[in-house]
Structure formats: structure tokens, C-alpha cells
Amino acid sequence: MRQVRRGPAAPQYGAGVPQQPSYANGGYDDAYDSGYNTGQVYGGPGGHGPDGTPGPGQRPAPNWRRRIKWTAITLVTVLTVTSVATYFWADSKLRREVDLSKVIDRPQSGSGTNYLIVGSDSREGMTKADEKKLHTGAAEGKRTDSMMILHVGDNGDTLVSLPRDSNVEIPSYKGSTSGKVYPATGRQEKLNAAYAEDGPTLLVRTIEYNTGLHIDHYVEIGFQGFANIVDAVGGVQIDIDKGFKDKWSGADFKAGKQTLNGRQALAFVRTRHAFAASDLQRTKNQQKFLAALAHEVATPATVLNPFKFYPTMGAGLDSLIVDKDMSLWNLASMFWAMKSVNGGDGTSMNMPISGSVGGNLVWDKTKVKTLVTELNNDQKVTVAGN
């Protein structure tokens, strides 16, 4: 019988038999890890493959440095575009209507910058209801209710009020519309008569002739515009030393700190019949209020709040009439100077008065000469006004 050769018998468990895999850990040996027991599809940590790429269904870790960089770039871009757009918007609203090149025989420019700030009784844009509400009356044409020279320099800013009843000589001048030169006749008039006769350019010519001070920029605002600015900024707080009433302006104020709206503010700066000093006291009140208004406009609560900043800026620019060379930078410099005067860093005063003639206030020529010299040289003002 053919012999069948058999292989060795299967070894029995026991000595010499290899250890079998343990199923205590889900059927896998501790030395072998497929990656599934830790939630890893690939061998890399955190569900990432060996090359660090995220596995299926996994989000990459945020790159904070990149996010911060692009956020900063976006913010800078938005601020730049907004600033440029705001500049061109504001610049387009300036009413550059006064041509100072028409003023003849001008004094030489000194150091610093001189602004002539004029408050007119213009009723432009006002309805009959507005005139009644603001107690302005309905007179035709325009006259000056206030005139101030603001000197902006390196040795403190100075605000000088020129009473409308100041006695001045009307010099030779070139007509703003006719272009005709009118010779001087030695005629003595109230200062506000110069504006009534031929507007801003003759007013500038008359002030320069009677002071020797060069006017660099001209700014004018009417009744309605003034009230609108005050209302747009949310009112202006002011401390009234002594209460007063005036039926002509509609003023009715008690002493103490209070916030004035546009109508009240207009009454405050226009009142003169209630004071023994008449126009001199009115100019002081005008200085006080305008400085407070500039301070309010320049506060962070206004500048950083677009819902307050743009209405205020729009109301102001719509109602201002300026010279043809006025820039937004010049206008901003003027407002900051007004704020500094209010903050005690500058000087506010009336033009020095020596007496009166025919009801007109006569300037003190000696003091005026000293004042003009100090302003032209941008020196600290030492002259005291009335």
C-alpha cells in the first residue's frame, strides 16, 4: 500500500506555541493602531494627515495674524474713503462768494491769519413763520449785526469785536459790481453803513483803511443759518451772569447755566436794548456765545458721532458765505481758534473806545495803533478793550 507522507502535526497550545492576538482592546493588539481608536483617519495628530492637511470634515485652524492684518487693512481703507468723500462733500458746500481781490490799496500782510467774521441780518431762506418765531422782522436787504476780527497766531489767538456803531471814515473803493472806483470824500459813517453801501468788499476795505490790519479771510452768517447750526449741534450751554428781557429780540433769560436752542441763541446775541452799555455789551455776549458754540462743535461727542457731525457740518456750510480763497483747513483753524479763546488760551476784547461823537463810538487811536502792531507782529496782546 502506498505510503502517504504526512507533514508535522499542528502544534498544540502550550509550550512553544506563539502568543495569539488579544481581543481585549476591540480585537487589536496594543502595538498596532489603525488610527480609528483615536478618531484619526490618518496617522497625523488632530485628524490631519502626515503632511498637516486637514482630514475629511475637519476645519483648518484660524490664522489670527492674517485675519487681524486684513481687518486692519479694511478699516484703514474705509476710513480713508470716508474721509476723502467727506472732504469733497464739505468743500463743495462752501459758498465762496466774496472776492477780496476787488479790495484796493490794501495794507501789507502781517504774521498770523486774520479772519473777519460777520453776522448779518439776512433773512435768506426764511418763511414768514420763521421771521415771527425768531423775532427778526421782515426788513429787506442785509445789514451787519456783528463784526469781529479773529487773529490766529503762535502767541495766542485774539478775538476783537468791532461795534457796529463805530465811527469810521469811508475810503476810496472799487464797486463790487460796477468795477467803478469811488474817490474818498472824508465821509464819516457808522461801520455797518459800509456793508450796507457796497457789501463785504467795502466793509473789508473800510476796516483795513481805519486800522491798518490786513484781512486774510472773510466769513459771514445770517439769522437762519446761525439758528440752524445751534439746533443741529443740540443746543449750546452758556452761563448768563444776569438775567434780562428784550421785546425787540425776544430775549427772556434768567441768570445761571442753561442750554440755548437756535431761537434762544439768536435772541441772546442780538439783544442790545436791555443793556446800559448797548452795543458794547452785545458784542461781549456775541464773543461769549460764539466761543461756546465753537467749543461745542469741536467736542468728541459731535465730531465722532456721524448722526450729529454731518447735520451740524451741513447746517454750517450751507449758511456760511466765505471768500474765494477760503479752504476747509482755514475754516477748521478758525473754529479751533474760537475754541481756544473760550478755553482761556486766547484773548477776547472790544475795540478800544475813547468816547463818542454824534452817537457814534470813537476808537482810541493810540491803543488801536498798539493793538494792530502787536497783531501784525504776532505778539502777545497787551492792550485792553472796553
Side-chain angles (χ1 to χ4, degrees):
M1 200 175 166
R2 188 178 177 181
Q3 298 292 322
V4 178
R5 191 172 180 176
R6 300 178 181 276
Q12 299 295 317
Y13 297 118
V17 178
Q19 179 68 36
Q20 298 299 305
S22 171
Y23 292 87
N25 292 321
Y28 300 98
D29 187 271
D30 289 337
Y32 174 78
D33 186 357
S34 67
Y36 287 96
N37 62 328
T38 60
Q40 300 175 14
V41 178
Y42 301 102
H48 290 66
D51 59 354
T53 58
Q58 298 295 321
R59 292 183 178 181
N63 187 332
W64 289 109
R65 180 177 297 178
R66 184 178 182 184
R67 287 188 180 185
I68 291 173
K69 181 185 75 172
W70 282 108
T71 299
I73 291 174
T74 301
L75 286 175
V76 170
T77 302
V78 169
L79 288 174
T80 301
V81 171
T82 301
S83 299
V84 171
T86 298
Y87 176 86
F88 284 105
W89 167 77
D91 188 71
S92 68
K93 294 178 77 66
L94 270 181
R95 298 172 59 183
R96 297 181 174 93
E97 300 176 6
V98 178
D99 188 357
L100 294 182
S101 68
K102 294 182 179 180
V103 181
I104 62 174
D105 299 332
R106 308 191 68 185
Q108 186 176 356
S109 297
S111 300
T113 304
N114 297 316
Y115 297 85
L116 177 60
I117 305 171
V118 174
S120 77
D121 65 359
S122 169
R123 293 154 179 82
E124 181 183 1
M126 294 175 65
T127 64
K128 294 296 181 183
D130 291 332
E131 292 173 356
K132 184 177 180 180
K133 175 185 175 183
L134 299 177
H135 291 267
T136 64
E140 296 292 335
K142 293 196 301 183
R143 286 150 295 277
T144 53
D145 254 22
S146 63
M147 291 159 282
M148 303 178 187
I149 295 175
L150 175 64
H151 175 81
V152 180
D154 295 330
N155 289 294
D157 305 314
T158 303
L159 185 63
V160 183
S161 283
L162 312 175
R164 55 179 275 177
D165 294 338
S166 297
N167 191 79
V168 294
E169 180 180 340
I170 304 297
S172 61
Y173 68 94
K174 185 177 183 180
S176 58
T177 55
S178 67
K180 178 182 176 181
V181 176
Y182 296 87
T185 61
R187 179 164 48 107
Q188 303 289 309
E189 296 281 1
K190 291 182 179 180
L191 182 57
N192 66 342
Y195 181 94
E197 185 172 330
D198 198 49
T201 53
L202 178 54
L203 179 61
V204 170
R205 167 72 175 133
T206 302
I207 290 173
E208 291 186 340
Y209 177 82
N210 285 269
T211 63
L213 192 66
H214 182 92
I215 301 300
D216 298 293
H217 292 293
Y218 178 91
V219 181
E220 178 186 323
I221 187 169
F223 284 161
Q224 183 75 63
F226 178 80
N228 287 345
I229 294 174
V230 175
D231 285 335
V233 82
V236 174
Q237 187 181 75
I238 195 165
D239 191 356
I240 299 177
D241 300 326
K242 185 178 180 180
F244 59 89
K245 292 184 178 181
D246 178 28
K247 67 177 182 178
W248 301 101
S249 66
D252 186 2
F253 299 109
K254 295 181 179 180
K257 287 186 177 181
Q258 50 208 285
T259 299
L260 307 187
N261 60 27
R263 177 186 61 79
Q264 295 168 323
L266 188 59
F268 180 79
V269 299
R270 292 184 61 219
T271 297
R272 63 170 177 160
H273 297 288
F275 310 122
S278 188
D279 203 37
L280 291 177
Q281 181 59 46
R282 176 167 68 169
T283 56
K284 291 179 181 179
N285 286 346
Q286 290 169 348
Q287 290 178 348
K288 184 176 184 178
F289 188 85
L290 288 178
L293 174 60
H295 177 79
E296 186 66 34
V297 169
T299 58
T302 299
V303 175
L304 300 180
N305 182 354
F307 298 103
K308 198 172 182 181
F309 173 74
Y310 285 102
T312 300
M313 197 171 184
L317 295 174
D318 279 340
S319 52
L320 291 180
I321 296 175
V322 300
D323 64 273
K324 293 184 179 296
D325 294 325
M326 177 73 80
S327 68
L328 287 177
W329 174 259
N330 296 138
L331 203 58
S333 176
M334 184 191 80
F335 273 101
W336 281 107
M338 293 287 287
K339 181 181 178 182
S340 75
V341 169
N342 182 60
D345 296 329
T347 301
S348 59
M349 59 184 289
N350 277 323
M351 185 65 83
I353 304 298
S354 62
S356 64
V357 56
N360 295 350
L361 299 172
V362 178
W363 294 349
D364 187 318
K365 293 183 179 180
T366 302
K367 289 184 177 180
V368 169
K369 184 178 180 180
T370 301
L371 172 63
V372 170
T373 298
E374 290 174 340
L375 293 179
N376 275 330
N377 295 327
D378 199 19
Q379 299 171 334
K380 187 71 176 177
V381 171
T382 61
V383 177
N386 296 75

